[in-house]
Amino acid sequence: MQSTKRVALLVISCLTYSQFLLASEQSESKGFIEDSKWNAHARSLYFSRDFKSSHNTGQSKRMAWGLGLSTVFESGFTEGTVGFGLDAWGLQGIRLDGGRGHANAAMDVTPVGDSGRAAHDWSQLGGAVKARISNTTIKYGNQFVSLPILMTDSSRLLPESVTGTLITSKEIENLEINAGHFTAISGAHSTGHDNSGYPSAYYVGMKRLDFIGGTYQFTDNLATSLYYSWNKDIAKRAYGNINYTYPIDNQQSVNVDFNIYHTDYDKKYVRRTSEGDIDKSINNTIWSLAGKYSYDAHSFIVAYQQSMGGWYGHGYDYGSGYGTNDGGSSIWLANSYESDFNAKDEKSLQLSYELSGAGIGIPGLAFKSAYVYGWNADTAAYSGGKRGKERELFNQVSYTIQQGAAKDLAFKVRSSFYRATNRFSYGDNNELRVYVDYPLDLVALIKNNK
């Protein structure tokens, strides 16, 4: 009942301030079909992790290669004071390689049974109903969410999804408010809506996650965000962000991005995920500050990140199935790559470089290289309380075809070379991901063929 009251109060508040906006999204609605979107997407993903240390549960290499097919239909809203709509989607995964011996559920690519065999194919359907009044939308059902305290991961073969209610309000100019009540999460390799894809009782699962927050755009160059979430029997979490860009001239700019999370873990979650008996909640605060200098096609980034508090090797805990069940990408911090550098009391420093191909006459090309070094991590869970160190060299290059019959076909290669001391985390690892993505606008295709 409390979550329902929070949602109702938010809607009333948003409508009260609707006069601050000059136009209403609902008043400009063209109809259920006229404003609809229908997209299809095909992805081929090769994903491998080659472990260089022997203590990783006896599995020296994990590998998966699959084909992911998805289609998403998003209707417009019916005309009138209150508009109604419907979203629906379907996912199909096909394993091309990566059977028993190389398969592992922790890679989040294919479903893996107790026998160690990966599924040959799997599928899932989902949908949501929605309503809009003025500039406020309410959606209920199976959906994809992209917020700092609940973000469904789309970096694997198929995306995660969550089930519940999401309110998005833009009644006040330059302010977006989000509120949600969710009761289930479906992992990237799951076939149902009430689990994260992990069968073991060790994993906690989502019981109920409520949140509220928003982003205010002060100017074109300055924005702030603030969110708070209640994750039943797991954690209470707050998030803040300040992002500012200073334009030096037409070719140069400096960007500063500050992110911070504070988490108060529930003692039930701590006990369940610890080897020892913990009789109280353990808090964690983690923050990152990144400075980015851009000149034409080139960008240079320096970032510092610090995690304070946690338990038994845990610092900032997030994720799906094996974490706090708030989505596999709910970590909006600077030093998050293959490793997140988020252990208890860990500090880390990043140096990175980015290249935009458009600036050198190759539109569609992008490149990034980053080196992150972490130290002072409390590795009690791995090595008897020694201070752990880790480092990662991350490289990614991508290219999207800009025109012709294969327009929008995208290629991306991502690699990480990870090393750790004191048997920290899962040990040394070389990771490789190769993506081939082809999105297709089915509505545009139908119109062009008429």
Side-chain angles (χ1 to χ4, degrees):
M1 284 296 294
Q2 289 183 349
S3 60
T4 305
K5 291 179 180 178
R6 292 191 193 105
V7 169
L9 288 173
L10 178 64
V11 174
I12 294 171
S13 299
C14 292
L15 295 179
T16 301
Y17 291 104
S18 62
Q19 66 266 26
F20 286 99
L21 274 185
L22 299 178
S24 164
E25 293 178 346
Q26 179 54 29
S27 66
E28 298 174 355
S29 174
K30 296 179 181 178
F32 185 93
I33 298 297
E34 289 76 2
D35 284 337
S36 65
K37 301 175 183 178
W38 186 20
N39 298 303
H41 187 274
R43 164 174 286 179
S44 170
L45 170 62
Y46 173 84
F47 189 169
S48 72
R49 283 177 173 166
D50 186 2
F51 296 94
K52 300 301 179 181
S53 58
S54 60
H55 66 85
N56 185 59
T57 64
Q59 193 175 34
S60 62
K61 186 174 182 179
R62 300 173 181 174
M63 186 270 287
W65 179 30
L67 175 65
L69 305 173
S70 63
T71 181
V72 179
F73 173 78
E74 299 176 86
S75 79
F77 291 88
T78 58
E79 296 178 275
T81 302
V82 181
F84 297 94
L86 174 69
D87 294 347
W89 49 265
L91 308 175
Q92 174 71 54
I94 303 171
R95 176 171 65 86
L96 302 177
D97 198 2
R100 184 162 53 179
H102 287 158
N104 193 293
M107 293 182 71
D108 298 338
V109 178
T110 61
V112 179
D114 294 337
S115 65
R117 293 182 181 275
H120 287 282
D121 59 86
W122 64 102
S123 60
Q124 190 178 77
L125 297 174
V129 293
K130 56 188 180 181
R132 184 172 66 185
I133 179 171
S134 185
N135 294 287
T136 298
T137 300
I138 303 176
K139 183 187 292 188
Y140 172 75
N142 315 123
Q143 49 193 300
F144 313 110
V145 178
S146 180
L147 295 170
I149 38 75
L150 177 62
M151 183 168 179
T152 50
D153 187 14
S154 60
S155 67
R156 299 304 200 261
L157 192 64
L158 296 171
E160 297 178 325
S161 64
V162 286
T163 301
T165 302
L166 176 66
I167 298 177
T168 303
S169 178
K170 302 177 183 178
E171 299 296 343
I172 302 175
E173 191 170 9
N174 298 323
L175 174 65
E176 178 176 318
I177 297 175
N178 308 109
H181 172 71
F182 289 88
T183 56
I185 185 168
S186 178
H189 60 282
S190 176
T191 57
H193 297 290
D194 57 352
N195 65 81
S196 57
Y198 290 84
S200 172
Y202 169 80
Y203 302 105
V204 178
M206 179 190 286
K207 294 183 178 180
R208 188 187 75 210
L209 192 154
D210 301 309
F211 64 83
I212 189 168
T215 298
Y216 187 74
Q217 191 81 35
F218 287 93
T219 67
D220 290 341
N221 299 321
L222 176 62
T224 62
S225 298
L226 185 64
Y227 285 88
Y228 188 81
S229 67
W230 305 264
N231 199 343
K232 182 176 174 60
D233 292 340
I234 295 178
K236 296 177 181 177
R237 176 166 287 162
Y239 167 83
N241 168 263
I242 300 175
N243 187 284
Y244 175 69
T245 300
Y246 175 72
I248 300 173
D249 54 35
N250 291 335
Q251 288 187 305
Q252 301 180 80
S253 66
V254 174
N255 174 266
V256 178
D257 188 42
F258 174 75
N259 293 276
I260 185 169
Y261 288 92
H262 176 76
T263 306
D264 183 1
Y265 294 104
D266 191 284
K267 61 183 179 181
K268 293 180 181 178
Y269 178 73
V270 175
R271 283 174 176 167
R272 194 166 184 178
T273 57
S274 299
E275 296 178 1
D277 183 21
I278 306 297
D279 59 1
K280 63 179 180 179
S281 298
I282 305 297
N283 298 336
N284 171 264
T285 298
I286 187 169
W287 60 271
S288 68
L289 179 63
K292 180 177 181 179
Y293 169 70
S294 299
Y295 177 77
D296 198 16
H298 311 277
S299 296
F300 303 89
I301 301 101
V302 178
Y304 177 78
Q305 183 170 301
Q306 184 168 346
S307 174
M308 298 168 286
W311 77 98
Y312 283 95
H314 294 254
Y316 175 76
D317 210 2
Y318 77 101
S320 303
Y322 51 87
T324 53
N325 279 278
D326 48 9
S329 294
S330 301
I331 180 166
W332 291 23
L333 295 168
N335 294 354
S336 176
Y337 291 98
E338 198 250 313
S339 175
D340 295 310
F341 298 87
N342 59 335
K344 179 182 178 182
D345 298 332
E346 183 172 11
K347 303 174 183 178
S348 59
L349 180 66
Q350 173 193 168
L351 299 175
S352 59
Y353 167 75
E354 295 178 346
L355 172 67
S356 172
I360 59 173
I362 312 178
L365 175 68
F367 172 76
K368 178 163 187 171
S369 182
Y371 178 78
V372 187
Y373 178 75
W375 70 97
N376 200 54
D378 185 339
T379 61
Y382 308 104
S383 54
K386 296 179 180 179
R387 293 295 172 178
K389 299 177 182 179
E390 56 178 335
R391 62 189 186 276
E392 178 181 349
L393 177 61
F394 171 90
N395 294 284
Q396 179 173 285
V397 59
S398 63
Y399 179 71
T400 302
I401 297 175
Q402 302 294 293
Q403 56 187 356
K407 186 178 183 297
D408 297 327
L409 179 64
F411 305 87
K412 181 169 69 176
V413 178
R414 163 179 166 167
S415 70
S416 286
F417 301 93
Y418 175 84
R419 299 293 181 266
T421 63
N422 295 336
R423 295 170 60 88
F424 180 44
S425 188
Y426 43 70
D428 299 346
N429 171 32
N430 292 343
E431 180 184 282
L432 175 65
R433 305 185 195 186
V434 180
Y435 297 83
V436 180
D437 288 285
Y438 188 54
L440 191 61
D441 186 337
L442 297 177
V443 172
L445 184 63
I446 293 172
K447 289 181 179 179
N448 291 336
N449 289 332
K450 283 186 176 181

